[in-house]
Amino acid sequence: MNTIAEHIADFLKEYAPFDQLTFQELSEIAVNIRVLNLEKNKTLFQINDPLHDCFYMVNSGLINLYAIADAEETILSKCHEGAIFGLRPFFAKNNYMMTAKAREESIVYAIPIAVFRPFVANNAAVLDFLLENFAANSHQTKTSQNLGKSIISDTVFYSDQKAEMQFFQALSYNSNPIVVTADAIVKDVAQLMAETLLNSAIVSENNMPIGIVTHTDMSSKIATGRYANTVPVATIMSKPPITVIENVSLAEAQLLMLKNNVTHLCVTQDGTNKSVIRGVISEHDLVIAQANNPGVLIKEIKRSQSSKELQQIRLRLADLIQNSIFKNIPLTHINNIASEINFAIIKRAVELSILDLGSPPARFAWLSIGSQGRKEQLLLTDQDSILIFEDVAAEKYREVKDYFLKLGKKTTLTLEKVGYQLCPNGHMGSNMMWCKSLTDWVKQYDAWMNTPGENSNELSSIFFDYELVIGEQKIEDAITNVVFRNAKNNTLFFDFLGNDALRKHSPLSFFKKFIVEEEGVYKDFFDIKTRALMPLVDSARLFALSYDLIGINNTYLRFKQLAITDPKHSEIYLNCAEAFLTLSKFRTLEGLKNDDAGQYINLEEMSKIDKEKLKNALAPMKELEELIKNKFQLTQFS
Amino acid sequence: MLDWLKYINKEHPEFWKTYISKFDSKSSRYVILSTEKTGLNPHKDVVLSISAFAVVNDSILISDSFEAVLLQYKFLHDNQLSNEFIIESKLPKLSEPEAIKAFIEFIGNAVLVGHHVDFDVEMFNAALERLGCGRLKNEALDIDIMHRKLNDITDKQFSLDELSQIYKIPISDRNSSSEDAYRTALLFLKLKSRLGIK
């Protein structure tokens, strides 16, 4: 017995489906494993490569799986330690339909199919596990039960891109269209279409498309009697057909149909009508694909019954965000969609708690604060929230507060299960301090704004970015009134906020070099959150409060509005708005790459152009700083 | 250089002739080996265990491996060493001639790779001499030298643990020659791709 094989068997045992096998069986498999070391960015297999004789398991490192749509790589999933991928040879005969590339230097076990197959055949549990996951991903997963079950989910299996939920997915279309020659008789073609229940037929010559006949042609040209049904199909076909390349995305297919006013697209090998026919996309295919768009997500959120279902939806949102970013959809747009969905999830979490606890004894408002309140949350960050309930009679107060604390606890725990971590500083509605009556909250804001720095209560500026999730709009309005009433000519408060905004470390050195972390895990990385984004967020809030910009919480929109309100400095504000978007995008990309909050950027990995872009985005901050110093004459706290 | 003269009238064992005949073609197989030895003197010390893995096409083949404990009763007795190691091991136990023969058959014409591999090679040559065979003909690569070449270091040697640390290979708490051979194999894969060796 080989000692290393034993170690490998030990490793396998920890992960499904290997945990179903005995150690003896695992050892047998382990003996036949090949161990690969993949350098960073090394491709293990790519789309259309012939299948390997094995599937893979990550021992250490990170492997990303990509698909290609509209000639661009899109990350499908990330395989961490213990993840299995490349199972296609097990189930299908055709070539790989994705690319596997090492995101970090990785060690991968190659497990020969021939060795593993007998164990699958003899062990029903292993077979079920594989089939279930493979099946769950090759068909559109509509039912949420189905989603809940798939354990290794999309990260591992991948068949057709049907399971992808968003506009930029590659379409699944009919790859087996009716193809007829130009001299076929219309009647026969119609008969064929009726039999196969298809509503189009491609007219070809040498396997290349020269035209297309659809239901519309049939009804407008034959049924109306303009032509007899015995003419050749070439007479009534639309030509040339609109052709597209394989792997076209939903969005592009939709645009082409609108632009050319057609209902069908012909898919060819290279996208021109001078190459081989591959299939046909109908409007119907688009409708089916759209069943997975943001609107549908929101509907599903409203219907979901457990944190588990919400978690699955949040995962799909992450995919949506990721793919939208790679597709260069404007970040403001992604932000809007993402925050709407985030809000819907939080709202549903509160509703689920209410369903459990019974109706609330008083009216209330649940507000998201911080990045969620500013609608800038793209990556999974921690939760920040507050709870305000209306004033009740003194003897009822205790009971009411108890109810809302319970509500807060239940909701934050649900959200934690969904994937939003609890706020490490306890800024949540489940906290005694941040769950109180309207009067108490008014006092709280009064204290923060009129005597900043004096009170033992810390003043965290995130409390000034809030957004109603569920409850009474009037309660939120009341708080807003207090905030802006207090802000009027409140030099002390702005002095405090201004100093707070400027206290952050500067991002560039005197010689215009990035200031990077000097020690720790992130040595030589650039802290984009505290050095670049936070100062912009803080400054935008400061100006928004001082210019009475009620109801605009988003940093980008705040700068945009400021450019209008204070036209003298509009250029600075506009630059800052753009800079904020650029920086957010860098951060989000970094976060998606590494599966974290994207706070630290690895400069070494950046291209020269990106570095320049990043540097340029930091430039407007200097002017903004001067503007703050001039306007608020910071003295008391500096 | 005139080695062949020395052996001209000597009849080599059969396995050795087979081994020699394998060198007509160049191998694409690497054998990564690690041994436990009683010391570094090829004539006074002996090999106690051998572990080796084959690397083909940039992957370690777990099935294509070799592990053996060499019985050295006489040596242990002469040097008053305990032989508890040998009794406790679950690995196949072979006498030195058997083990060397099996190992020579295993390596064939592969390129040998090890950590400070020249000591191992000298050790094997001494054992082969005792069997009336010639010296190993395999090419040999040393991962320490590969690492130093990659980083242009001339004045320092690196232990296997140091190299493992530099290339972020987890060090197992179990310590054995097969463990070392596996680590060496991983290191070799990493160094090989970095140095662009085919």
Side-chain angles (χ1 to χ4, degrees), chain A residues 171 173 193 198-202 212-220 238 240-244 253-267 279-287:
Chain A
L171 269 172
Y173 52 83
M193 283 162 67
L198 295 174
N199 56 12
S200 69
I202 297 174
I212 188 164
V213 203
T214 65
H215 268 177
T216 323
D217 298 310
M218 290 290 182
S219 60
S220 66
S238 319
I242 308 300
T243 52
V244 290
Q254 206 166 33
L255 282 174
L256 278 170
M257 282 190 192
L258 287 173
K259 197 172 112 190
N260 297 297
N261 196 21
V262 295
T263 53
H264 291 79
L265 301 171
C266 177
V267 182
V280 65
I281 299 175
S282 68
E283 265 184 330
H284 183 65
D285 293 324
L286 300 191
V287 172

Side-chain angles (χ1 to χ4, degrees), chain A residues 329-375:
Chain A
I329 305 298
L331 204 66
T332 46
H333 197 77
I334 307 174
N335 259 330
N336 283 340
I337 291 176
S339 62
E340 281 315 313
I341 295 176
N342 272 326
F343 273 119
I345 292 178
I346 300 172
K347 186 172 173 194
R348 187 64 194 163
V350 180
E351 281 172 358
L352 286 175
S353 310
I354 292 177
L355 281 175
D356 214 41
L357 292 171
S359 310
R363 285 176 292 182
F364 72 103
W366 178 283
L367 305 181
S368 270
I369 59 173
S371 65
Q372 179 61 44
R374 289 192 305 271
K375 302 191 177 176

Side-chain angles (χ1 to χ4, degrees), chain B:
Chain B
M1 180 186 176
L2 292 175
D3 259 4
W4 61 275
L5 267 180
K6 211 156 96 191
Y7 303 116
I8 198 153
N9 286 322
K10 222 155 123 191
E11 188 57 22
H12 288 309
E14 208 50 43
F15 79 88
W16 187 253
K17 284 191 218 156
T18 320
Y19 166 73
I20 297 292
S21 71
K22 286 179 184 166
F23 283 84
D24 295 342
S25 58
K26 200 169 153 35
S27 172
S28 60
R29 180 168 171 260
Y30 295 88
V31 165
I32 288 72
L33 62 97
S34 171
T35 62
E36 272 178 279
K37 308 174 275 274
T38 53
L40 292 177
N41 184 324
H43 293 286
K44 285 192 187 139
D45 288 308
V46 290
V47 175
L48 292 175
S49 72
I50 308 173
S51 296
F53 288 97
V55 165
V56 179
N57 284 336
D58 286 328
S59 29
I60 305 171
L61 307 179
I62 300 292
S63 55
D64 195 357
S65 64
F66 180 91
E67 275 184 281
V69 168
L70 279 62
L71 299 176
Q72 302 281 4
Y73 288 130
K74 184 173 180 306
F75 177 89
L76 296 174
H77 182 263
D78 290 352
N79 290 288
Q80 295 174 349
L81 294 170
S82 94
N83 60 355
E84 60 187 327
F85 154 75
I86 292 170
I87 292 161
E88 278 185 9
S89 171
K90 276 186 278 180
L91 297 172
K93 296 176 212 43
L94 303 172
S95 66
E96 186 179 277
E98 280 173 332
I100 294 293
K101 184 173 164 237
F103 184 64
I104 293 297
E105 276 162 7
F106 173 74
I107 60 174
N109 63 344
V111 178
L112 301 182
V113 183
H115 181 257
H116 297 160
V117 72
D118 38 343
F119 292 120
D120 294 318
V121 170
E122 277 317 306
M123 236 31 171
F124 288 127
N125 283 336
L128 284 168
E129 208 180 307
R130 291 196 278 274
L131 295 175
C133 302
R135 298 168 65 81
L136 284 177
K137 286 172 66 95
N138 304 62
E139 282 179 56
L141 291 170
D142 187 325
I143 55 160
D144 182 23
I145 292 174
M146 287 169 82
H147 168 68
R148 276 148 55 193
K149 188 170 166 193
L150 182 66
N151 294 294
D152 241 341
I153 301 169
T154 49
D155 52 347
K156 191 175 179 316
Q157 288 204 338
F158 294 84
S159 72
L160 191 55
D161 282 354
E162 283 170 330
L163 289 175
S164 301
Q165 221 158 32
I166 294 169
Y167 294 96
K168 300 196 182 66
I169 292 171
I171 299 173
S172 152
D173 47 349
R174 292 179 257 193
N175 197 359
S176 69
S177 60
S178 65
E179 202 71 55
D180 287 350
Y182 183 67
R183 267 160 66 195
T184 309
L186 288 178
L187 280 168
F188 173 64
L189 287 182
K190 288 177 192 282
L191 284 162
K192 186 169 171 278
S193 59
R194 282 176 171 73
L195 286 165
I197 299 173
K198 275 277 149 329

Side-chain angles (χ1 to χ4, degrees), chain A residues 24-25 218 223 290 319 334 399 440 463 496 537 574 605:
Chain A
Q24 183 56 39
E25 290 172 314
M218 290 290 182
Q290 282 182 15
D319 288 349
I334 307 174
E399 187 192 323
D440 288 345
F463 285 102
F496 183 84
V537 169
L574 289 177
E605 269 183 23

